[in-house]
């Protein structure tokens, strides 16, 4: 395995701060806990570094390691390999294969490996899942003062690796099929991994605002579900947050510590519709946060970066344009199940049906195929289990995902030994 940069002296990135490619790299490195130094191609140190290695500003983003090597990354997989993250499984056959590295998948990896199963986990992006994006998780057992998503992720990663779980980053599962001896999961880059059992923990993917004039500024003032990586850039500015659930509330509290002012734009008529009471009280106590209800974003404009937003009052229909350089949207998520074929029964929103829900939820076209009843978290494909936010009727909480991930391993043992 290549040497992974440990501090900002090991890795330098020369990139235009406002380019979407730069945002993607910044987020990838931050989510994978890789520190680095950032230089603009327009400043002399950045320009010199590029020239020394035969690059120009047009080649950026370019990454440089202290050992003299450099990379103009073609994609995330190449970047992951180059910075020393594990990007290929070491074997092609396992007892347990977990897809998804959020809290559910990490709990499954930890329990699977610690209980003697040869375990591999495939994650398409970065370990931590949605929880890794949280600035402060206050309601997870054992952390009375809260814990950041990145800290929790780091602890989980160390703990799972200590027991021998193999974590493979930058590998996306795109098909799962039963075989004579278990299952085959086909991934990007034509890699196929076989296992006797599978836990699907692919969670949910955030929704976007879907307004073309706003989408144009993705990574250039408009961001989704990211607060931790961008916060240092908006110190002293006004920050707009779209959304009224806990994730939006946490982001507002987080940004209030560095922004001049935080304006929450909420479509509902009150925060109480979706947000936990403890968080509403916290927000009420922070003067730098203004909550605007019954309001939505309808337009955006600017040059190389977001400059203005147009807001509409949903009650009166009145429209106003406000100066804005930063918009962070936290507007819900959809289950990451589109890579699975129809033999996996889902509810009407696409979440996987498991256990007793398979027979009680209407509209499922993929019935349970065996005489024995499904085990509690088992999907309609016997031997494939689902845990966490990807599952119908899930708890949308870290604790629920961790609980289900651990419980799924107990059920895997039962499936393998019966
Ligand atoms: C900003 C934010 C703050 C939150 N704060 C809290 C909080 O304070 N308390 C709380 O209890 N909950 C909180 N939540 C909710 C909590 O994070 C989720 O309920 C939890 O992360 C769900 O875990 P999961 O493992 O089921 O799924 P996820 O966390 O969604 O993880 C799924 C993982 O699977 C990967 N994946 C998806 N498809 C594939 C594929 N085909 N191949 C490989 N990998 C794939 C994804 O990249 C992702 O890493 C918050 C959520 C957000 C977004």
């Amino acid at each position: 395995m290549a040497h992974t940069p440990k501090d900002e002296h090991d890795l330098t990135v020369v990139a235009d701060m406002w380019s979407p490619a730069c945002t993607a790299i910044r987020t990838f490195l931050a989510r994978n806990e890789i520190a680095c130094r950032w230089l603009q191609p327009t400043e002399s140190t950045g320009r010199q570094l590029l020239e020394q290695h035969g690059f120009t500003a047009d080649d950026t983003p370019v990454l440089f390691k202290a050992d003299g090597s450099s990379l103009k990354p073609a994609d995330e997989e190449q970047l992951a390999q180059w910075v020393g993250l594990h990007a290929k499984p070491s074997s092609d056959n396992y007892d347990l294969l977990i897809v998804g590295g959020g809290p559910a998948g990490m709990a499954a990896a930890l329990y699977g490996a610690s209980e003697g199963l040869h375990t591999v986990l495939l994650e398409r992006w970065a370990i931590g899942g949605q929880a890794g994006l949280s600035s402060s998780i206050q309601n997870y057992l054992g952390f009375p003062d809260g814990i950041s998503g990145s800290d929790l992720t780091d602890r989980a990663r160390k703990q799972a690796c200590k027991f021998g779980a193999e974590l493979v980053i930058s590998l996306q599962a795109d098909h799962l099929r039963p075989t004579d001896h278990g299952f085959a999961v086909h991934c990007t880059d034509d890699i196929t991994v076989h296992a006797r059992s599978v836990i699907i923990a692919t969670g949910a993917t955030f929704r976007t605002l879907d307004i073309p004039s706003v989408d144009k500024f993705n990574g250039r003032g408009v961001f989704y579900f990211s607060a931790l990586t961008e916060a240092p850039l908006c110190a002293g500015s006004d920050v707009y947050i779209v959304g009224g659930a806990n994730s939006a509330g946490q982001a507002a509290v987080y940004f209030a510590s560095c922004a001049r002012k935080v304006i929450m734009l909420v479509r509902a008529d009150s925060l109480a519709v979706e947000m936990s009471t403890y968080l509403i009280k916290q927000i009420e106590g922070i003067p730098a946060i203004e909550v605007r209800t019954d309001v939505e974003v309808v337009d955006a404009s600017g040059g190389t970066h977001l400059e203005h937003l147009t807001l509409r009052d949903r009650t009166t229909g009145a429209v106003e344009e406000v100066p804005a350089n930063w918009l962070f949207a936290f507007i819900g998520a959809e289950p990451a199940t589109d890579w699975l074929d129809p033999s996996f029964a889902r509810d009407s929103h696409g979440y996987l049906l498991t256990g007793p829900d398979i027979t009680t939820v209407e509209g499922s076209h993929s019935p349970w195929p065996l005489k024995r009843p499904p085990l509690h978290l088992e999907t309609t494909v016997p031997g494939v289990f689902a845990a966490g936010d990807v599952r119908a009727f899930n708890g949308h909480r870290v604790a629920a995902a961790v609980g289900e991930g651990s419980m799924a391993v107990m059920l895997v043992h039962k499936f393998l030994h019966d």
Side-chain angles (χ1 to χ4, degrees):
M1 187 167 156
H3 166 69
T4 306
K6 292 281 181 284
D7 65 40
E8 60 179 48
H9 303 294
D10 286 348
L11 183 69
T12 301
V13 186
V14 182
D16 170 10
M17 180 170 142
W18 298 129
S19 71
C22 175
T23 303
I25 290 177
R26 185 165 61 235
T27 308
F28 180 84
L29 294 178
R31 292 288 313 277
N32 284 296
E33 310 254 320
I34 294 176
C36 67
R37 175 172 71 127
W38 289 92
L39 296 175
Q40 293 276 353
T42 46
E43 59 186 289
S44 60
T45 333
R47 202 172 40 241
Q48 274 169 19
L49 195 55
L50 287 172
E51 282 168 10
Q52 275 164 20
H53 290 76
F55 293 108
T56 68
D58 291 342
D59 294 314
T60 59
V62 183
L63 294 88
F64 300 89
K65 278 195 202 151
D67 65 8
S69 58
S70 57
L71 176 79
K72 175 176 159 46
D75 53 34
E76 255 171 27
E77 180 162 3
Q78 194 191 24
L79 176 60
Q81 296 251 26
W82 190 74
V83 295
L85 294 171
H86 206 169
K88 283 203 169 63
S90 63
S91 161
D92 71 352
N93 217 329
Y94 294 85
D95 296 324
L96 171 60
L97 186 158
I98 299 150
V99 188
M106 287 301 287
L110 164 62
Y111 281 97
S114 67
E115 288 168 21
L117 296 175
H118 185 205
T119 301
V120 66
L121 178 148
L122 312 181
E123 164 57 48
R124 68 178 168 187
W125 195 39
I127 297 297
Q130 297 170 70
L133 298 166
S134 173
S135 45
S136 173
I137 298 167
Q138 292 285 337
N139 56 355
Y140 188 56
L141 187 71
F143 295 91
D145 300 321
I147 181 165
S148 72
S150 58
D151 200 1
L152 188 64
T153 300
D154 195 38
R155 288 165 185 247
R157 184 195 286 117
K158 284 184 187 140
Q159 207 175 359
C161 290
K162 183 178 93 176
F163 287 112
E166 194 178 322
L167 311 180
V168 184
I169 319 288
S170 273
L171 205 54
Q172 174 164 323
D174 54 27
H175 187 65
L176 190 166
R177 67 180 163 84
T179 63
D180 290 346
H181 305 289
F183 303 93
V185 173
H186 188 266
C187 307
T188 40
D189 262 14
D190 239 2
I191 293 173
T192 301
V193 192
H194 294 86
R196 293 163 66 210
S197 59
V198 176
I199 295 176
I200 298 173
T202 45
T205 310
F206 55 76
R207 280 197 203 107
T208 56
L209 283 162
D210 223 10
I211 305 168
S213 61
V214 177
D215 292 347
K216 220 171 73 186
F217 293 101
N218 281 355
R220 296 187 294 130
V222 174
F223 300 89
Y224 289 94
F225 278 95
S226 73
L228 293 174
T229 49
E230 310 306 327
L233 301 176
C234 20
S237 311
D238 288 353
V239 169
Y240 284 83
I241 291 183
V242 181
N246 281 0
S247 51
Q250 281 179 14
V253 171
Y254 187 67
F255 278 116
S257 62
C258 62
R260 193 180 75 93
K261 190 173 173 193
V262 177
I263 304 105
M264 293 190 74
L265 306 174
V266 184
R267 280 168 63 97
D269 61 3
S270 145
L271 281 183
V273 175
E274 287 191 89
M275 199 177 286
S276 300
T277 313
Y278 84 88
L279 201 50
I280 298 177
K281 286 204 173 109
Q282 199 178 351
I283 287 171
E284 284 168 354
I286 302 176
I289 304 180
E290 177 191 345
V291 179
R292 297 187 58 179
T293 53
D294 278 320
V295 70
E296 63 189 356
V297 175
V298 289
D299 201 4
S301 61
T304 55
H305 192 264
L306 175 70
E307 287 171 19
H308 291 97
L309 287 173
T310 306
L311 312 178
R312 182 170 62 203
D313 185 311
R314 286 165 51 83
T315 335
T316 63
V319 168
E320 85 182 284
E321 190 182 70
V322 292
N325 292 132
W326 301 100
L327 174 77
F328 293 85
F330 297 81
I331 51 171
E334 280 157 11
T337 49
D338 53 355
W339 61 284
L340 295 165
D341 70 31
S343 56
F344 288 88
R346 294 133 156 110
D347 71 4
S348 56
H349 301 288
Y351 289 90
L352 294 179
L353 294 175
T354 54
D357 297 332
I358 291 172
T359 45
T360 51
V361 171
E362 283 181 22
S364 162
H365 300 294
S366 303
W368 174 248
L370 303 182
K371 277 206 177 118
R372 71 160 171 90
L375 296 170
H376 195 64
L377 299 175
E378 200 167 16
T379 66
T380 38
V381 177
V384 178
F385 298 80
D389 278 18
V390 74
R391 211 178 60 78
F393 310 109
N394 73 80
H396 295 291
R397 293 287 182 268
V398 176
V402 167
E404 289 186 11
S406 340
M407 182 176 166
V409 172
M410 287 165 37
L411 300 170
V412 161
H413 275 294
K414 188 164 170 47
F415 168 78
L416 293 177
H417 295 127
D418 276 358

